Amino acid sequence: MKRVAIQGVHGSFHDIAVHQYFKDEQIQLICCSTFEEVFAEMEHDPTVIGMLAIENTIAGSLLHNYELLRASGATVVGEHKLHIQHSICCLPQDDWDTITEVHSHPVALMQCNKWLANHPKLKMVEAEDTAGSAEYIMKHQCRGWAAICNSSAAEMYGMKVLEDHIEDNKHNFTRFLLVSNPNKADFLRPLEKADKASLVFLVPHEEGSLSKVLTILSFYNINLTKIQSLPVIGHEWEYLFYVDVSFDNLTRYRQSIDAITPLTRSLKILGEYTEVK
């Protein structure tokens, strides 16, 4: 049985991502209120695996999670891309004419902005979690309240789905990273099959410093799939670069890392894993 820490409750998108990634395997979820708690669970018990959202095709990157990952010492062992679909649900005894407010995570509310604009009488209330909103409404029997969450979460908590697929963009995906203690990584992914890596590094505050790194990666046929910069607090105009690369030759990838190391500062490989096509 795999023990996996997530931010959120049963029925959340993190829960769905875990069960899709570990299809047909036994899972024990450790539900956490924050991403900090996810990493704390992993630090307390090195056998615990973490699943965390890292970017969304609409909302963009979760910058705080990049920082937590870098500071944690955990390593990325896999990724999963989940199609995000939202529904609006309420207590079985409620209906369209009785609901007055809708609760959900602020990102979910944003992703359903057009639908909500067409229902101006509904008051929007931000909450910590999508599925958690449905759980709270059912547990406390909040008449007149609705939740935006996945329809599977609504079913899990006995809520009535008023309308499904209310998200504005039907091509809404979230990318999740599976992270673990480095000593457990080889049990979760065969390194010889790795074709993607996540890196973080600093470059000197000099003209062309980042360009030189990218040129070397290109020379070794390393494909840059994502680059995200974050300012270094307390150091004006210095940035950490979080980079995802993909490759079809592990040896050439290793050579490229050796080649860019002298041009960077604090280069850290956050993980090597198999890319989801």
Side-chain angles (χ1 to χ4, degrees), residues 13 28 77-78 90 94-95 113 125 144 151 187 217 260-261 263:
F13 288 109
Q28 179 189 350
V77 294
C90 62
D94 272 326
D95 214 320
N113 186 57
V125 181
S151 58
F187 297 100
L217 292 176
I260 67 172
T261 298
L263 301 177

Side-chain angles (χ1 to χ4, degrees), residues 97-128:
D97 57 348
T98 59
I99 61 171
T100 58
E101 53 189 72
V102 56
H103 295 241
S104 195
H105 190 279
V107 172
L109 294 172
M110 181 198 71
Q111 292 173 349
C112 301
N113 186 57
K114 291 180 182 178
W115 186 93
L116 289 165
N118 290 327
H119 297 78
K121 293 183 179 180
L122 291 179
K123 176 185 176 183
M124 290 184 287
V125 181
E126 294 185 357
E128 291 185 355

